[in-house]
Amino acid sequence: MTGTATKVWALHLGVLAALLAAQFVLPAYHAGNLARIMVLAVYAMGFNIAFGYTGLLSLGHALFFGAGLYGMGMLVALAGWGAGAALVAGIAAGGAMALAVGLLALRTAGVSFMIVTLMFAQAGYLTILYYTPYTRGEEGIVIDRAARVLLGFDLSQDIIRYFAAFALFAAALLVKLALVRSPFGRVMVAMRENEERSRMLGYDPFRIKLAALVVSGIYAGAAGAAYGLLFGYVGASFASIQYSILPLLYVLLGGAGTVLGPFLGAVLMFYLIDLASGITTAHLLVVGVALLVLVLFAPKGILGALRDRGLKWLP
């Protein structure tokens, strides 16, 4: 293992070790927040694979998150499925939805791609509202505590919930780290940097982008299914445009095209909103000012700026 690889793995394993220890030292309130943040960070990781590494700016990721959320929730609430099977189905739903959207949306590019994905997401959101007798619309579905048992563990308990969120986050982080350092990961970056040159080298941009979008959808579906299972609620608001914007904000803040950027962005954005809302009702104004400062002084995000200023090995 080279010196660079040693640094990379040491950093990421160190972050995981710190998160594992956090459960034992943080107050219950912050441990609960961190569990929620880790699940949302998995969602943002998926968005980062599409946007940060492949250059696909999607405004439709709430559709993939919602597919995982409702794919799990409706099977548990309406079909009586167990948590494990419903979780797998939710993950598959996110990937399948990304595949279906990608086959159509990737016929466009740039701003057109962004608009088409937004339209798909809005169609999904309105579908949830239209079929309220099944989805329960804005009211949402409350997952019974008895149904939130996975492999004998009660996910409604705070400690179990934290470690389940940690397990999901750790798996997603390590898989993503391996992915972006693999030959396929290098090709994704090549597509982002110069699609025409990549085509001349023999790579099919449509297939590479579609594969990246499906992986992104699997991450989003996993986060959605896990969120509903861990926190016991499935609602239409999670499929709204707000949840397409959130992962974009997380990634821009932490650093697009970095493995840890989505997690750092999710932590900072979550607590920025939490602290600002305790001071003023105009907390979104505070968030907007913070993002404006970021765009002006660190347009590549925090970790992107650190990589440009010395930490060249940061993936």
Side-chain angles (χ1 to χ4, degrees), residues 102-104 106-107 191 195 204-211:
L103 287 172
L104 297 173
L106 285 173
R107 299 175 185 276
M191 288 294 162
E195 182 178 324
D204 183 347
F206 183 83
R207 289 187 178 182
I208 298 298
K209 289 180 179 181
L210 182 61

Side-chain angles (χ1 to χ4, degrees), residues 26-34 270-271 274:
L26 289 177
Y29 173 74
H30 293 292
N33 283 346
L34 193 53
F270 186 94
Y271 276 102
D274 187 56

Side-chain angles (χ1 to χ4, degrees), residues 183-278:
F184 179 74
R186 304 300 185 192
V187 175
M188 289 195 305
V189 174
M191 288 294 162
R192 181 193 69 194
E193 295 298 322
N194 195 320
E195 182 178 324
E196 288 306 315
R197 182 170 295 179
S198 300
R199 192 194 308 272
M200 290 174 61
L201 292 173
Y203 296 107
D204 183 347
F206 183 83
R207 289 187 178 182
I208 298 298
K209 289 180 179 181
L210 182 61
L213 192 63
V214 169
V215 173
S216 179
I218 289 172
Y219 267 70
Y227 195 96
L229 202 55
L230 293 177
F231 300 102
Y233 178 71
V234 174
S237 61
F238 292 112
S240 67
I241 184 62
Q242 176 186 354
Y243 273 79
S244 285
I245 298 298
L246 279 179
L248 173 61
L249 297 181
Y250 296 159
V251 168
L252 290 177
L253 181 57
T258 63
V259 176
L260 286 172
F263 172 67
L264 178 61
V267 171
L268 294 177
M269 184 63 68
F270 186 94
Y271 276 102
L272 178 61
I273 294 174
D274 187 56
L275 294 173
S277 60

Side-chain angles (χ1 to χ4, degrees), residues 9 15 32 93 97 104 116 122 132 142 159 165 184 237 247 296 304:
W9 284 104
V15 169
M97 188 64 73
L104 297 173
V116 169
Q122 284 298 99
T132 293
V142 176
I159 294 178
F184 179 74
S237 61
L296 290 175

Side-chain angles (χ1 to χ4, degrees), residues 55-129:
L56 297 173
L57 178 53
S58 163
L59 288 181
H61 264 60
L63 179 62
F64 312 148
F65 186 82
L69 187 72
Y70 275 91
M72 180 283 302
M74 292 181 68
L75 288 174
V76 169
L78 301 181
W81 283 34
L87 179 63
V88 172
I91 295 171
M97 188 64 73
L99 175 62
V101 170
L103 287 172
L104 297 173
L106 285 173
R107 299 175 185 276
T108 64
V111 175
S112 298
F113 176 80
M114 181 175 66
I115 293 173
V116 169
T117 54
L118 175 61
M119 290 171 60
F120 274 116
Q122 284 298 99
Y125 174 65
L126 293 174
T127 300
I128 291 172
L129 296 181

